[in-house]
Amino acid sequence: MSKLTDINYVKAVLSRHGFTFSKALGQNFLVNPSVCPKMAALCGADADTGVIEIGPGAGVLTHELAQLAYKVVAVELDERLLPVLAETLAGHNNVTVLHADAMKLDFHRLIQEEFAGKDVVICANLPYYITSPILMRLLEERLPVKAITVMVQKEAADRICAAPGTRASGAISAAVHYYCEPEQLFKVSAGSFLPAPKVDSAVIRLNILKEPPIQAADEKLFFKVVRAAFLQRRKTLANSLSAGLSMPKSAVSDLLISVGIPDKARAEEMTMQQFAAIASAVSRAGENP
Ligand code: SAM
């Protein structure tokens, strides 16, 4: 078992470096010894596969990934953790820690420079404050990766994995199902972290699809329609689209009826095919916003 999951060891290393947890950076470090080996084993890391980790913290997951992967590049924003990581990961010669903001980093370039000719996966215990934007960024950039395995808050996991057309779905569910096949792997209790957050978490794996499951004639417009549809969740689809696409309500109602969708329908009832049909109708109506 790794020393890094011994809560006393981690506390001692962090305190020796004068480290204090930053809530703003979503710093809840894993201290449950069973979680990281399981996550590393399920993310697809092996001797021919490189791993990008976002937010290594004290290096607990990095350590497990490094034992399985060809190479790990761990991207950490908090520079106070760099000396900590230099100490905790000293025994690994296949780990590079990059001091960078994952929201701004050029991942295409990183993959080209660090993992040429290898399969690549992403694995991370994500800081909760960037869960949706970072996932959207990783997916929209169509990175050449096989899968993205992340720990997120349980509620976010449910939303991300919900099939479009079901009650729990949101804009992110549609985006996720466009690019990948999501799977919930296992739940992680709040007590597995230091400090313990208020809510439980879950590990999900997004298996990247080669082709989207539906044909969207204009991808950008498709996502604009999806975002607009969920903008005002409590309102009807017609009202939400009218506000989100700056179109008169009557024009939206006509357009929905033309593709067989009642104007009282709600965004969460729409399947991917229906969103694609709405986007095509918006485009045909010359209302490409
Ligand atoms: N992987 C560690 C673990 O499981 O114990 C730490 C996970 S903690 C939930 C999130 C980590 O992401 C922290 O180390 C935090 O400093 C880092 N982080 C926060 N925002 C970031 C960003 N924009 N780019 C890269 N790392 C970030």
Side-chain angles (χ1 to χ4, degrees):
M1 193 193 296
S2 159
K3 286 192 294 187
L4 282 164
T5 45
D6 174 347
I7 189 163
N8 293 319
Y9 172 78
V10 177
K11 276 183 172 168
V13 176
L14 293 175
S15 114
R16 196 153 18 82
H17 287 273
F19 179 83
T20 49
F21 291 95
S22 156
K23 212 172 169 185
L25 288 179
Q27 289 175 339
N28 302 94
F29 292 180
L30 271 164
V31 288
N32 175 338
S34 68
V35 177
C36 291
K38 218 160 136 185
M39 229 178 135
L42 292 171
C43 78
D46 62 33
D48 290 318
T49 304
V51 182
I52 299 173
E53 185 191 0
I54 295 167
V60 58
L61 175 60
T62 327
H63 167 81
E64 297 299 331
L65 294 167
Q67 313 221 62
L68 301 177
Y70 151 73
K71 184 176 179 179
V72 182
V73 175
V75 182
E76 177 56 62
L77 176 61
D78 188 347
E79 68 174 346
R80 299 173 307 151
L81 286 166
L82 303 184
V84 173
L85 288 162
E87 180 177 336
T88 58
L89 299 173
H92 295 288
N93 57 10
N94 62 342
V95 175
T96 303
V97 175
L98 208 62
H99 179 216
D101 182 346
M103 285 305 294
K104 297 187 183 143
L105 187 68
D106 183 343
F107 283 100
H108 277 286
R109 190 163 157 196
L110 181 139
I111 291 171
Q112 242 170 32
E113 288 178 355
E114 300 280 350
F115 300 110
K118 295 283 178 193
D119 284 340
V120 180
V121 296
I122 296 175
C123 187
N125 172 12
L126 285 181
Y128 71 93
Y129 78 104
I130 49 168
T131 303
S132 294
I134 191 73
L135 284 179
M136 285 310 297
R137 183 162 184 240
L138 297 173
L139 294 173
E140 281 174 352
E141 292 204 353
R142 293 186 185 273
L143 299 174
V145 302
K146 293 188 92 168
I148 301 174
T149 302
V150 284
M151 167 110 58
V152 297
Q153 292 187 343
K154 178 72 177 84
E155 205 182 312
D158 292 342
R159 172 85 77 208
I160 291 165
C161 296
T166 63
R167 204 178 166 76
S169 66
I172 192 152
S173 329
V176 161
H177 283 79
Y178 187 80
Y179 294 110
C180 38
E181 179 206 21
E183 271 183 275
Q184 292 225 28
L185 297 180
F186 57 96
K187 274 203 265 183
V188 180
S189 68
S192 302
F193 301 89
L194 178 73
K198 288 201 175 68
V199 295
D200 291 340
S201 292
V203 176
I204 60 173
R205 185 173 60 213
L206 310 179
N207 304 305
I208 306 297
L209 296 169
K210 288 202 169 67
E211 298 287 337
I214 53 136
Q215 293 286 325
D218 178 343
E219 209 170 81
K220 243 172 122 182
L221 182 58
F222 171 77
F223 283 113
K224 203 161 198 165
V225 165
V226 170
R227 272 197 299 272
F230 284 102
L231 215 55
Q232 295 169 301
R233 241 190 125 72
R234 285 163 194 224
K235 297 203 168 171
T236 61
L237 179 63
N239 277 323
S240 215
L241 285 175
S242 164
L245 301 175
S246 310
M247 284 171 68
K249 166 87 188 297
S250 58
V252 174
S253 297
D254 290 349
L255 188 150
L256 290 177
I257 287 162
S258 77
V259 290
I261 297 169
D263 74 348
K264 291 276 177 292
R266 296 193 173 263
E268 66 264 27
E269 294 162 359
M270 293 299 104
T271 62
M272 300 277 276
Q273 285 80 359
Q274 285 173 312
F275 278 126
I278 298 170
S280 298
V282 171
S283 173
R284 274 197 306 275
E287 297 275 2
N288 194 341

